[in-house]
């Protein structure tokens, strides 16, 4: 076993909680509704059989689970939904102390979903920067010295923003060169190379922030540390585009897990559909179920935008459809290097415009698994009349037996 199973809600990043056997059978299904509105028990029960026929299922061991859309959860204001429809290029993460889910909706602000997942609200007393146009392309919540921090990788403003519940404590902009152990990467930034952070994660054992920068010629993983109270670029950096001899083809998502008790930085490389594992110093390791080249090769057409870890499973929101996903993108679920199922949000009533998946946050509540899915609106498609929206939806995994 890669991870030690425990029957309790445990923080991600350190060890994934084994999911098999934890999920209690629950059939509080929902559909025929738009997100953010309440529905009666009769409505919820009436659609259970219809949703059971979707392809949104997955397998763990000999158990099969299906996803049900929980439209009674995640209520949003009209203003938040309007902002998301045109600009949700996002991921979300869970605060490890309060269990809130947080993200930034561009031109709206920093929002938090309460621990019961009932309603999204703007975070009080937040810095105006969060509503000024930055996005939450990548998000990570972490704890240092018993204090909770929220970090966001904003591609459209080219910065990593670190905050304490909306109070900004640091903004990491482009490295200048000379900060890292890799001279090739130092030269890239000395020469004015573009910095476009796609995702960020904190590695607790290494006490480092790891940032991936796939939206630039410099397709790297970079390290930042808190040195004497100031967050700054320093230490390990690695990667590079495949065209330049590196492993990445748009490093787009990053997470931290453990393999055989060791901390591992896992990177989703979007364009060629691969998942890599590294130590925090940048040494590539053999991922469970990986090829001889050490990476996990995803099915053809897979282009993961982010990854979320829970139990022994990876949850990978894909930007575009697979060959058999009926023209809409799924969240691919992978265990042991192999697909074990999927979630296709656009299959569910009221969510038919969730064509492109960009973020997914797997969380556990009372022994049940939930997924918060975030979709990306393709402006080019919308201009051509193929409507698709940025939406957030919550799903519950229930026994299919």
């Amino acid at each position: 076993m890669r991870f030690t199973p425990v029957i309790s809600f445990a923080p991600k990043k350190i060890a994934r909680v084994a999911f098999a056997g934890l999920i209690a059978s629950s059939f509080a299904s929902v559909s025929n509704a738009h997100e953010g509105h309440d529905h009666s028990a009769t409505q919820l029960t009436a659609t259970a059989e219809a949703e059971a026929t979707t392809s949104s299922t997955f397998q763990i061991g000999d158990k099969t689970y299906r996803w049900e859309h929980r439209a009674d959860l995640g209520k949003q204001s009209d203003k938040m939904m309007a902002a998301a429809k045109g600009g949700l290029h996002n991921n979300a993460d869970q605060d490890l102390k309060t269990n809130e889910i947080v993200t930034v909706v561009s031109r709206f602000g920093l929002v938090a979903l309460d621990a019961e997942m009932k309603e999204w609200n703007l975070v009080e007393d937040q810095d105006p920067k969060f509503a000024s146009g930055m996005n939450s392309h990548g998000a990570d919540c972490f704890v240092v010295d018993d204090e909770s921090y929220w970090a966001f990788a904003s591609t459209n403003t080219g910065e990593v923003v670190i905050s304490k519940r909306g109070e900004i404590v640091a903004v990491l902009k482009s490295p200048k060169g000379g900060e890292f152990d890799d001279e090739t990467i130092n030269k890239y930034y000395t020469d004015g190379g573009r910095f476009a952070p796609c995702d960020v994660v904190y590695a607790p054992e290494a006490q480092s922030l790891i940032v991936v920068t796939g939206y630039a010629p410099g397709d790297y993983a970079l390290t930042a540390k808190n040195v004497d109270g100031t967050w700054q670029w320093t230490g390990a950096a690695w990667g590079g585009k495949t065209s330049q001899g590196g492993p990445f083809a748009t490093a787009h998502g990053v997470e931290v897990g453990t393999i055989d008790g060791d901390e591992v930085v896992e990177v989703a490389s979007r364009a060629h559909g691969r998942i890599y594992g590294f130590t925090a110093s940048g040494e590539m390791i053999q991922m469970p179920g990986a090829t001889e080249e050490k990476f996990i090769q995803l099915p053809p057409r897979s282009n993961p935008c982010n990854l979320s870890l829970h139990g022994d499973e990876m949850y990978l929101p894909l930007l575009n459809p697979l060959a058999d996903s009926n023209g809409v993108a799924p969240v691919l679920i992978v265990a042991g290097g192999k697909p074990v199922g999927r979630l296709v949000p656009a299959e569910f009533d009221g969510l038919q415009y969730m064509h492109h998946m960009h973020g997914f946050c797997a969380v556990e509540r009372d022994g049940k698994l939930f997924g918060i899915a975030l979709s990306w609106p393709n402006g080019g498609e919308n201009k051509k009349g193929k409507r698709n929206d940025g939406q957030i939806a919550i799903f519950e995994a229930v026994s299919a037996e």
Side-chain angles (χ1 to χ4, degrees):
M1 288 290 292
R2 286 174 65 189
F3 305 98
T4 304
V6 292
I7 305 178
S8 65
F9 179 69
K12 64 184 184 66
K13 313 287 196 293
I14 306 299
R16 305 180 193 176
V17 180
F19 174 54
L22 287 183
I23 297 183
S25 182
S26 171
F27 295 93
S29 174
V30 296
S31 70
N32 293 322
H34 292 280
E35 196 157 352
H37 297 273
D38 295 329
H39 301 270
S40 68
T42 301
Q43 287 177 304
L44 302 184
T45 304
T47 60
E49 291 186 8
E51 293 194 357
T53 64
T54 70
S55 65
S56 294
T57 63
F58 62 105
Q59 190 86 12
I60 296 181
D62 60 353
K63 295 182 180 294
T64 301
Y65 301 92
R66 62 183 173 84
W67 293 100
E68 293 182 353
H69 176 211
R70 291 292 306 273
D72 58 317
L73 300 178
K75 182 180 179 181
Q76 302 172 52
S77 69
D78 291 341
K79 288 185 178 180
M80 178 176 168
M81 287 191 289
K85 280 184 178 181
L88 198 68
H89 195 198
N90 278 36
N91 199 16
D93 200 27
Q94 178 174 241
D95 184 288
L96 301 181
K97 293 178 73 68
T98 67
N99 288 346
E100 295 166 290
I101 311 298
V102 298
T103 191
V104 180
V105 178
S106 185
R107 303 294 176 186
F108 182 71
L110 174 62
V111 294
L113 178 66
D114 61 275
E116 290 73 31
M117 299 189 295
K118 294 295 185 183
E119 185 174 3
W120 292 92
N121 285 295
L122 283 166
V123 173
E124 294 182 357
D125 301 321
Q126 63 180 272
D127 192 288
K129 184 179 187 68
F130 289 108
S132 67
M134 66 169 284
N135 69 342
S136 177
H137 191 276
D140 189 65
C141 299
F142 59 98
V143 174
V144 176
D145 295 333
D146 203 37
E147 290 193 279
S148 184
Y149 293 84
W150 302 344
F152 305 99
S154 175
T155 53
N156 59 346
T157 58
E159 58 194 4
V160 177
V161 179
I162 306 168
S163 78
K164 288 183 181 179
R165 197 172 189 83
E167 176 192 352
I168 294 177
V169 298
V171 177
L172 291 169
K173 294 184 179 293
S174 178
K176 301 302 181 184
E179 296 97 335
F180 304 113
D181 297 338
D182 187 299
E183 289 308 313
T184 299
I185 296 175
N186 284 335
K187 186 176 187 306
Y188 171 82
Y189 289 110
T190 298
D191 293 345
R194 182 168 182 255
F195 173 66
C198 287
D199 200 6
V200 56
V201 70
Y202 184 73
E205 291 182 14
Q207 298 182 351
S208 301
L209 278 178
I210 310 295
V211 177
V212 292
T213 62
Y215 279 2
D219 200 344
Y220 303 128
L222 309 176
T223 298
K225 289 179 176 286
N226 191 319
V227 180
D228 297 328
T230 301
W231 287 95
Q232 60 188 50
W233 301 114
T234 185
W238 66 93
K241 286 196 182 294
T242 52
S243 60
Q244 302 169 7
F248 298 143
T250 311
H252 206 278
V254 62
E255 259 287 12
V256 168
T258 56
I259 297 178
D260 296 330
D262 296 324
E263 186 173 74
V264 176
V265 179
E266 301 184 22
V267 177
S269 185
R270 191 182 72 183
H272 52 193
R274 295 174 182 173
I275 307 297
Y276 291 92
F278 301 91
T279 66
S281 61
E283 179 184 355
M284 190 182 297
I285 66 166
Q286 180 81 26
M287 295 286 286
T291 65
E292 292 181 0
E293 292 85 1
K294 296 186 177 181
F295 56 78
I296 293 172
Q297 182 64 60
L298 301 175
R301 302 191 187 184
S302 297
N303 35 35
C305 285
N306 276 290
L307 69 158
S308 180
L309 308 178
H310 191 279
D312 288 339
E313 288 69 53
M314 297 178 178
Y315 298 85
L316 303 164
L318 304 186
L319 182 62
N320 293 313
L322 296 176
D324 61 348
S325 62
N326 297 318
V328 292
V331 176
L332 185 67
I333 305 170
V334 172
K338 305 296 181 184
V340 295
R342 63 181 63 174
L343 163 64
V344 188
E347 291 181 337
F348 296 84
D349 288 345
L351 303 179
Q352 63 268 29
Y353 301 122
M354 294 183 74
H355 291 185
H356 304 277
M357 302 314 302
H358 196 272
F360 189 83
C361 184
V363 300
E364 188 179 327
R365 297 288 187 270
D366 298 324
K368 301 176 183 179
L369 179 69
F370 294 84
I372 296 91
L374 300 91
S375 65
W376 173 70
N378 184 315
E381 289 183 1
N382 283 331
K383 288 179 181 178
K384 295 177 182 178
K386 183 182 178 182
R387 179 183 168 189
N388 58 99
D389 296 340
Q391 291 180 261
I392 305 176
I394 299 177
F395 299 85
E396 180 183 351
V398 302
S399 174
E401 300 172 355

